[in-house]
Amino acid sequence: MAKVKKRGNSYQIDYLDPHGKRVRLAFKKKKDALAELGKRVSLIAEKRYLDVKKDYKTTLEELLKKYTENHKHQASFKGLKDYCIENFKTHFGEKTKLSNIRYVDIEMYRNHLMQKLTRHKRLRADASINRELATLRHVFSKAVEWDMMERNPFEKGKSLMLKLNNQRTRYLTEDEIPKLLGECKATKHLHYIVVCALNTGMRRGEILNLKWSQVRNGFIYLEKTKTKTRREIPVNDELTQVLKEIRKEQGLTSEYVFTYARRTIGKVDRAFKGALRRAGIENFTFHDLRHTFASHLIMRGASLKEVQELLGHKTVTMTLRYAHLAEENKRKAVGLLNGLTGYVRSDMSQNVTNAIFAFEPSRLTS
């Protein structure tokens, strides 16, 4: 008889498969155990239950071959997934049977990635490791859907994903911006790219793949974005002038706005790092130009909703990292009224404010 029973800190499903074999599996949550048992009982009743023998015969090579055939058309496959699949083959072995890959093997693989050095002799970033683990988890999820294995080994323990700190908001100050742009002028195409990034908040790939056909009616129209959502970015006066200069230099034959940069992406990266070094700007990346765009918009009065739409964030959660800048902007705005009612001289306002907030609430009621 199929049932769910509690065993220690987990919940175990217990049933007989169509071959009379007793199956017992543990789950961390009772609702997950009930859902899985219900699904399996239903499959048995409909005579669609996975033949357990498949799980013992299918090899990783067979799974990865099928996965490649079904996903090679994806934009991310040629770069990330193709690279990950080669890593899986090397580490686990192509002839390894899926039934022999356990949760502990994946955990050991995660630990192997954490100690593996890059070609630059550095430890891999946590985000890079998580992307590879996410790919492996997806591979096994498809194997379950394709009846090549019974259960994804990732589900047999706690999450193996590394905790990330994605709240980095390094941005250029008003003093740093002209310093960087001044150093970028040594390489004209780099100067144009950085000006575009600072005035649009576009990602590097969006900038280098920008076509003239996307620039019209005072807007830049982005169709293929990271979040797969269409985005429209107004072209301000500064960027308009830059685009006019580029068009004048290129003529009307070029399809892409930044033609030279597309052919030499590596040189663009090296030139940008060189400009940062000469400008004395540290702890800064090209992606931080996007943070700079958003931060200065907020500090100049733009709303979080407007910045969210311009950056293309699906939810406001990512945009909230700039909220503290909005609060500071509001504080400065209200500070303009100091001295209006005659209670405090404007030159004393900050000292008075600090004195008020130094009081403990309990003192006000005692």
Side-chain angles (χ1 to χ4, degrees), residues 209-242:
N209 288 301
L210 182 65
K211 296 181 179 180
W212 285 111
S213 59
Q214 295 174 255
V215 186
R216 57 186 186 277
N217 305 322
F219 283 85
I220 291 175
Y221 296 89
L222 299 177
E223 300 290 344
K224 295 181 180 180
T225 65
K226 181 180 178 182
T227 57
K228 294 182 171 52
T229 55
R230 191 171 183 271
R231 200 156 97 245
E232 298 176 2
I233 304 173
V235 179
N236 63 14
D237 293 343
E238 290 193 14
L239 184 56
T240 297
Q241 185 59 38
V242 166

mmCIF file of all heavy atoms in Angstrom, residues 209-242:
data_model
loop_
_atom_site.group_PDB
_atom_site.id
_atom_site.type_symbol
_atom_site.label_atom_id
_atom_site.label_comp_id
_atom_site.label_asym_id
_atom_site.label_seq_id
_atom_site.Cartn_x
_atom_site.Cartn_y
_atom_site.Cartn_z
ATOM 1 N N ASN A 209 26.389 45.289 -30.444
ATOM 2 C CA ASN A 209 25.509 44.705 -31.469
ATOM 3 C C ASN A 209 24.456 45.692 -31.970
ATOM 4 O O ASN A 209 23.554 45.311 -32.723
ATOM 5 C CB ASN A 209 24.816 43.467 -30.913
ATOM 6 C CG ASN A 209 25.770 42.293 -30.765
ATOM 7 O OD1 ASN A 209 26.368 41.843 -31.730
ATOM 8 N ND2 ASN A 209 25.926 41.797 -29.550
ATOM 9 N N LEU A 210 24.579 46.944 -31.564
ATOM 10 C CA LEU A 210 23.590 47.956 -31.954
ATOM 11 C C LEU A 210 23.663 48.257 -33.449
ATOM 12 O O LEU A 210 24.745 48.521 -33.993
ATOM 13 C CB LEU A 210 23.831 49.234 -31.140
ATOM 14 C CG LEU A 210 22.856 50.385 -31.388
ATOM 15 C CD1 LEU A 210 21.452 49.995 -30.947
ATOM 16 C CD2 LEU A 210 23.320 51.644 -30.645
ATOM 17 N N LYS A 211 22.515 48.216 -34.119
ATOM 18 C CA LYS A 211 22.436 48.518 -35.545
ATOM 19 C C LYS A 211 21.776 49.890 -35.748
ATOM 20 O O LYS A 211 20.983 50.336 -34.926
ATOM 21 C CB LYS A 211 21.608 47.448 -36.272
ATOM 22 C CG LYS A 211 22.228 46.058 -36.225
ATOM 23 C CD LYS A 211 21.352 45.057 -36.980
ATOM 24 C CE LYS A 211 21.969 43.663 -36.964
ATOM 25 N NZ LYS A 211 21.146 42.685 -37.692
ATOM 26 N N TRP A 212 22.121 50.516 -36.857
ATOM 27 C CA TRP A 212 21.528 51.824 -37.156
ATOM 28 C C TRP A 212 20.014 51.734 -37.305
ATOM 29 O O TRP A 212 19.289 52.690 -37.005
ATOM 30 C CB TRP A 212 22.150 52.402 -38.437
ATOM 31 C CG TRP A 212 23.531 52.924 -38.252
ATOM 32 C CD1 TRP A 212 24.683 52.404 -38.761
ATOM 33 C CD2 TRP A 212 23.926 54.070 -37.491
ATOM 34 N NE1 TRP A 212 25.770 53.141 -38.362
ATOM 35 C CE2 TRP A 212 25.335 54.184 -37.588
ATOM 36 C CE3 TRP A 212 23.230 55.023 -36.742
ATOM 37 C CZ2 TRP A 212 26.050 55.203 -36.967
ATOM 38 C CZ3 TRP A 212 23.946 56.039 -36.115
ATOM 39 C CH2 TRP A 212 25.327 56.122 -36.223
ATOM 40 N N SER A 213 19.537 50.582 -37.745
ATOM 41 C CA SER A 213 18.089 50.410 -37.919
ATOM 42 C C SER A 213 17.344 50.451 -36.589
ATOM 43 O O SER A 213 16.128 50.648 -36.555
ATOM 44 C CB SER A 213 17.799 49.077 -38.616
ATOM 45 O OG SER A 213 18.311 47.985 -37.858
ATOM 46 N N GLN A 214 18.068 50.274 -35.472
ATOM 47 C CA GLN A 214 17.452 50.315 -34.148
ATOM 48 C C GLN A 214 17.385 51.735 -33.588
ATOM 49 O O GLN A 214 16.760 51.964 -32.563
ATOM 50 C CB GLN A 214 18.239 49.433 -33.165
ATOM 51 C CG GLN A 214 18.211 47.951 -33.496
ATOM 52 C CD GLN A 214 19.136 47.181 -32.571
ATOM 53 O OE1 GLN A 214 20.215 46.767 -32.969
ATOM 54 N NE2 GLN A 214 18.725 46.976 -31.336
ATOM 55 N N VAL A 215 18.052 52.662 -34.271
ATOM 56 C CA VAL A 215 18.071 54.059 -33.817
ATOM 57 C C VAL A 215 17.164 54.874 -34.717
ATOM 58 O O VAL A 215 17.490 55.138 -35.879
ATOM 59 C CB VAL A 215 19.513 54.632 -33.860
ATOM 60 C CG1 VAL A 215 19.540 56.034 -33.252
ATOM 61 C CG2 VAL A 215 20.467 53.710 -33.118
ATOM 62 N N ARG A 216 16.023 55.277 -34.188
ATOM 63 C CA ARG A 216 15.070 56.054 -34.993
ATOM 64 C C ARG A 216 14.073 56.774 -34.093
ATOM 65 O O ARG A 216 13.821 56.355 -32.957
ATOM 66 C CB ARG A 216 14.318 55.142 -35.976
ATOM 67 C CG ARG A 216 13.566 54.004 -35.328
ATOM 68 C CD ARG A 216 12.976 53.068 -36.384
ATOM 69 N NE ARG A 216 12.119 52.046 -35.774
ATOM 70 C CZ ARG A 216 12.554 50.911 -35.243
ATOM 71 N NH1 ARG A 216 13.855 50.630 -35.265
ATOM 72 N NH2 ARG A 216 11.704 50.044 -34.711
ATOM 73 N N ASN A 217 13.551 57.863 -34.588
ATOM 74 C CA ASN A 217 12.527 58.640 -33.879
ATOM 75 C C ASN A 217 12.962 59.068 -32.476
ATOM 76 O O ASN A 217 12.150 59.200 -31.569
ATOM 77 C CB ASN A 217 11.220 57.847 -33.771
ATOM 78 C CG ASN A 217 10.705 57.376 -35.107
ATOM 79 O OD1 ASN A 217 10.804 58.092 -36.109
ATOM 80 N ND2 ASN A 217 10.180 56.159 -35.147
ATOM 81 N N GLY A 218 14.269 59.278 -32.298
ATOM 82 C CA GLY A 218 14.756 59.731 -31.001
ATOM 83 C C GLY A 218 14.866 58.639 -29.950
ATOM 84 O O GLY A 218 15.023 58.934 -28.756
ATOM 85 N N PHE A 219 14.776 57.371 -30.377
ATOM 86 C CA PHE A 219 14.859 56.259 -29.439
ATOM 87 C C PHE A 219 15.816 55.193 -29.964
ATOM 88 O O PHE A 219 16.059 55.084 -31.163
ATOM 89 C CB PHE A 219 13.483 55.603 -29.238
ATOM 90 C CG PHE A 219 12.561 56.386 -28.349
ATOM 91 C CD1 PHE A 219 11.779 57.407 -28.870
ATOM 92 C CD2 PHE A 219 12.448 56.096 -26.992
ATOM 93 C CE1 PHE A 219 10.919 58.127 -28.064
ATOM 94 C CE2 PHE A 219 11.594 56.805 -26.173
ATOM 95 C CZ PHE A 219 10.821 57.834 -26.706
ATOM 96 N N ILE A 220 16.340 54.393 -29.027
ATOM 97 C CA ILE A 220 17.055 53.162 -29.368
ATOM 98 C C ILE A 220 16.124 52.017 -29.014
ATOM 99 O O ILE A 220 15.656 51.918 -27.868
ATOM 100 C CB ILE A 220 18.375 53.026 -28.581
ATOM 101 C CG1 ILE A 220 19.381 54.074 -29.058
ATOM 102 C CG2 ILE A 220 18.965 51.624 -28.753
ATOM 103 C CD1 ILE A 220 20.666 54.102 -28.252
ATOM 104 N N TYR A 221 15.828 51.155 -29.978
ATOM 105 C CA TYR A 221 14.899 50.049 -29.766
ATOM 106 C C TYR A 221 15.677 48.743 -29.641
ATOM 107 O O TYR A 221 16.361 48.327 -30.581
ATOM 108 C CB TYR A 221 13.906 49.956 -30.931
ATOM 109 C CG TYR A 221 13.009 51.174 -31.059
ATOM 110 C CD1 TYR A 221 13.400 52.268 -31.838
ATOM 111 C CD2 TYR A 221 11.789 51.240 -30.388
ATOM 112 C CE1 TYR A 221 12.582 53.397 -31.948
ATOM 113 C CE2 TYR A 221 10.967 52.356 -30.501
ATOM 114 C CZ TYR A 221 11.381 53.431 -31.278
ATOM 115 O OH TYR A 221 10.573 54.544 -31.375
ATOM 116 N N LEU A 222 15.587 48.125 -28.478
ATOM 117 C CA LEU A 222 16.292 46.868 -28.227
ATOM 118 C C LEU A 222 15.293 45.721 -28.216
ATOM 119 O O LEU A 222 14.350 45.720 -27.418
ATOM 120 C CB LEU A 222 17.035 46.928 -26.887
ATOM 121 C CG LEU A 222 18.117 48.006 -26.760
ATOM 122 C CD1 LEU A 222 18.708 48.001 -25.360
ATOM 123 C CD2 LEU A 222 19.206 47.799 -27.800
ATOM 124 N N GLU A 223 15.490 44.761 -29.083
ATOM 125 C CA GLU A 223 14.600 43.603 -29.175
ATOM 126 C C GLU A 223 15.184 42.397 -28.432
ATOM 127 O O GLU A 223 14.514 41.752 -27.644
ATOM 128 C CB GLU A 223 14.364 43.232 -30.643
ATOM 129 C CG GLU A 223 13.736 44.343 -31.470
ATOM 130 C CD GLU A 223 12.282 44.618 -31.111
ATOM 131 O OE1 GLU A 223 11.666 43.762 -30.450
ATOM 132 O OE2 GLU A 223 11.783 45.701 -31.489
ATOM 133 N N LYS A 224 16.453 42.083 -28.707
ATOM 134 C CA LYS A 224 17.099 40.927 -28.077
ATOM 135 C C LYS A 224 17.877 41.388 -26.853
ATOM 136 O O LYS A 224 18.977 41.912 -26.952
ATOM 137 C CB LYS A 224 18.038 40.239 -29.071
ATOM 138 C CG LYS A 224 17.319 39.624 -30.258
ATOM 139 C CD LYS A 224 18.298 38.939 -31.191
ATOM 140 C CE LYS A 224 17.579 38.310 -32.383
ATOM 141 N NZ LYS A 224 18.529 37.636 -33.298
ATOM 142 N N THR A 225 17.289 41.214 -25.687
ATOM 143 C CA THR A 225 17.918 41.628 -24.441
ATOM 144 C C THR A 225 18.139 40.424 -23.537
ATOM 145 O O THR A 225 17.620 39.335 -23.786
ATOM 146 C CB THR A 225 17.039 42.652 -23.698
ATOM 147 O OG1 THR A 225 15.818 42.020 -23.294
ATOM 148 C CG2 THR A 225 16.725 43.840 -24.588
ATOM 149 N N LYS A 226 18.884 40.635 -22.458
ATOM 150 C CA LYS A 226 19.193 39.558 -21.522
ATOM 151 C C LYS A 226 17.915 38.979 -20.916
ATOM 152 O O LYS A 226 17.800 37.770 -20.705
ATOM 153 C CB LYS A 226 20.109 40.094 -20.421
ATOM 154 C CG LYS A 226 20.516 39.057 -19.393
ATOM 155 C CD LYS A 226 21.432 39.672 -18.345
ATOM 156 C CE LYS A 226 21.801 38.645 -17.286
ATOM 157 N NZ LYS A 226 22.667 39.247 -16.233
ATOM 158 N N THR A 227 16.951 39.837 -20.604
ATOM 159 C CA THR A 227 15.694 39.387 -19.979
ATOM 160 C C THR A 227 14.629 39.029 -21.007
ATOM 161 O O THR A 227 13.490 38.740 -20.637
ATOM 162 C CB THR A 227 15.149 40.472 -19.043
ATOM 163 O OG1 THR A 227 14.972 41.698 -19.785
ATOM 164 C CG2 THR A 227 16.107 40.730 -17.886
ATOM 165 N N LYS A 228 15.014 39.107 -22.309
ATOM 166 C CA LYS A 228 14.098 38.763 -23.404
ATOM 167 C C LYS A 228 12.851 39.651 -23.426
ATOM 168 O O LYS A 228 11.765 39.223 -23.818
ATOM 169 C CB LYS A 228 13.692 37.278 -23.321
ATOM 170 C CG LYS A 228 14.871 36.341 -23.569
ATOM 171 C CD LYS A 228 14.454 34.887 -23.534
ATOM 172 C CE LYS A 228 15.570 33.969 -23.986
ATOM 173 N NZ LYS A 228 16.840 34.147 -23.317
ATOM 174 N N THR A 229 12.992 40.880 -22.954
ATOM 175 C CA THR A 229 11.895 41.844 -23.003
ATOM 176 C C THR A 229 12.316 43.041 -23.846
ATOM 177 O O THR A 229 13.470 43.487 -23.770
ATOM 178 C CB THR A 229 11.508 42.329 -21.591
ATOM 179 O OG1 THR A 229 12.678 42.843 -20.930
ATOM 180 C CG2 THR A 229 10.924 41.196 -20.769
ATOM 181 N N ARG A 230 11.397 43.544 -24.636
ATOM 182 C CA ARG A 230 11.679 44.679 -25.515
ATOM 183 C C ARG A 230 11.926 45.936 -24.673
ATOM 184 O O ARG A 230 11.283 46.144 -23.657
ATOM 185 C CB ARG A 230 10.482 44.890 -26.441
ATOM 186 C CG ARG A 230 10.707 45.857 -27.574
ATOM 187 C CD ARG A 230 9.523 45.800 -28.520
ATOM 188 N NE ARG A 230 9.716 46.670 -29.674
ATOM 189 C CZ ARG A 230 9.365 47.940 -29.709
ATOM 190 N NH1 ARG A 230 8.785 48.494 -28.648
ATOM 191 N NH2 ARG A 230 9.566 48.670 -30.787
ATOM 192 N N ARG A 231 12.875 46.755 -25.111
ATOM 193 C CA ARG A 231 13.219 47.954 -24.347
ATOM 194 C C ARG A 231 13.399 49.138 -25.284
ATOM 195 O O ARG A 231 13.953 48.987 -26.373
ATOM 196 C CB ARG A 231 14.509 47.685 -23.567
ATOM 197 C CG ARG A 231 14.722 48.597 -22.403
ATOM 198 C CD ARG A 231 15.626 47.956 -21.368
ATOM 199 N NE ARG A 231 17.026 48.350 -21.468
ATOM 200 C CZ ARG A 231 18.016 47.537 -21.771
ATOM 201 N NH1 ARG A 231 17.768 46.276 -22.032
ATOM 202 N NH2 ARG A 231 19.247 47.960 -21.825
ATOM 203 N N GLU A 232 12.920 50.304 -24.848
ATOM 204 C CA GLU A 232 13.071 51.532 -25.621
ATOM 205 C C GLU A 232 13.814 52.550 -24.767
ATOM 206 O O GLU A 232 13.413 52.843 -23.646
ATOM 207 C CB GLU A 232 11.700 52.089 -26.023
ATOM 208 C CG GLU A 232 10.891 51.147 -26.910
ATOM 209 C CD GLU A 232 9.506 51.703 -27.207
ATOM 210 O OE1 GLU A 232 9.217 52.833 -26.743
ATOM 211 O OE2 GLU A 232 8.726 51.014 -27.869
ATOM 212 N N ILE A 233 14.901 53.078 -25.301
ATOM 213 C CA ILE A 233 15.714 54.038 -24.546
ATOM 214 C C ILE A 233 15.770 55.359 -25.309
ATOM 215 O O ILE A 233 16.221 55.395 -26.468
ATOM 216 C CB ILE A 233 17.144 53.502 -24.346
ATOM 217 C CG1 ILE A 233 17.115 52.136 -23.660
ATOM 218 C CG2 ILE A 233 17.971 54.488 -23.534
ATOM 219 C CD1 ILE A 233 18.468 51.462 -23.564
ATOM 220 N N PRO A 234 15.315 56.445 -24.697
ATOM 221 C CA PRO A 234 15.390 57.748 -25.375
ATOM 222 C C PRO A 234 16.844 58.157 -25.610
ATOM 223 O O PRO A 234 17.729 57.882 -24.794
ATOM 224 C CB PRO A 234 14.724 58.705 -24.374
ATOM 225 C CG PRO A 234 13.904 57.820 -23.481
ATOM 226 C CD PRO A 234 14.658 56.536 -23.387
ATOM 227 N N VAL A 235 17.101 58.797 -26.740
ATOM 228 C CA VAL A 235 18.446 59.291 -27.072
ATOM 229 C C VAL A 235 18.521 60.762 -26.668
ATOM 230 O O VAL A 235 17.799 61.594 -27.216
ATOM 231 C CB VAL A 235 18.731 59.136 -28.580
ATOM 232 C CG1 VAL A 235 20.117 59.676 -28.918
ATOM 233 C CG2 VAL A 235 18.611 57.677 -28.999
ATOM 234 N N ASN A 236 19.389 61.080 -25.687
ATOM 235 C CA ASN A 236 19.498 62.468 -25.246
ATOM 236 C C ASN A 236 20.402 63.270 -26.184
ATOM 237 O O ASN A 236 20.954 62.740 -27.152
ATOM 238 C CB ASN A 236 19.983 62.554 -23.791
ATOM 239 C CG ASN A 236 21.379 61.982 -23.609
ATOM 240 O OD1 ASN A 236 22.105 61.741 -24.573
ATOM 241 N ND2 ASN A 236 21.762 61.776 -22.365
ATOM 242 N N ASP A 237 20.581 64.549 -25.894
ATOM 243 C CA ASP A 237 21.320 65.434 -26.799
ATOM 244 C C ASP A 237 22.779 65.014 -26.937
ATOM 245 O O ASP A 237 23.355 65.093 -28.031
ATOM 246 C CB ASP A 237 21.245 66.879 -26.288
ATOM 247 C CG ASP A 237 19.831 67.438 -26.365
ATOM 248 O OD1 ASP A 237 19.009 66.851 -27.098
ATOM 249 O OD2 ASP A 237 19.551 68.453 -25.696
ATOM 250 N N GLU A 238 23.406 64.593 -25.820
ATOM 251 C CA GLU A 238 24.817 64.215 -25.870
ATOM 252 C C GLU A 238 25.040 63.005 -26.768
ATOM 253 O O GLU A 238 25.962 62.975 -27.586
ATOM 254 C CB GLU A 238 25.339 63.928 -24.453
ATOM 255 C CG GLU A 238 25.452 65.181 -23.594
ATOM 256 C CD GLU A 238 26.249 64.935 -22.331
ATOM 257 O OE1 GLU A 238 26.929 63.893 -22.251
ATOM 258 O OE2 GLU A 238 26.196 65.788 -21.433
ATOM 259 N N LEU A 239 24.187 62.008 -26.614
ATOM 260 C CA LEU A 239 24.339 60.807 -27.433
ATOM 261 C C LEU A 239 23.985 61.098 -28.890
ATOM 262 O O LEU A 239 24.594 60.531 -29.808
ATOM 263 C CB LEU A 239 23.454 59.677 -26.893
ATOM 264 C CG LEU A 239 23.596 58.334 -27.601
ATOM 265 C CD1 LEU A 239 25.044 57.858 -27.592
ATOM 266 C CD2 LEU A 239 22.706 57.277 -26.958
ATOM 267 N N THR A 240 23.024 61.981 -29.110
ATOM 268 C CA THR A 240 22.674 62.371 -30.482
ATOM 269 C C THR A 240 23.885 62.934 -31.211
ATOM 270 O O THR A 240 24.161 62.596 -32.373
ATOM 271 C CB THR A 240 21.541 63.415 -30.475
ATOM 272 O OG1 THR A 240 20.362 62.832 -29.911
ATOM 273 C CG2 THR A 240 21.234 63.887 -31.890
ATOM 274 N N GLN A 241 24.652 63.791 -30.520
ATOM 275 C CA GLN A 241 25.835 64.383 -31.124
ATOM 276 C C GLN A 241 26.882 63.324 -31.447
ATOM 277 O O GLN A 241 27.509 63.348 -32.511
ATOM 278 C CB GLN A 241 26.425 65.429 -30.165
ATOM 279 C CG GLN A 241 27.586 66.209 -30.731
ATOM 280 C CD GLN A 241 27.218 66.968 -32.001
ATOM 281 O OE1 GLN A 241 26.110 67.504 -32.129
ATOM 282 N NE2 GLN A 241 28.135 67.006 -32.963
ATOM 283 N N VAL A 242 27.065 62.359 -30.526
ATOM 284 C CA VAL A 242 28.029 61.277 -30.749
ATOM 285 C C VAL A 242 27.629 60.433 -31.951
ATOM 286 O O VAL A 242 28.459 60.094 -32.798
ATOM 287 C CB VAL A 242 28.144 60.389 -29.489
ATOM 288 C CG1 VAL A 242 28.872 59.088 -29.803
ATOM 289 C CG2 VAL A 242 28.884 61.134 -28.380
#
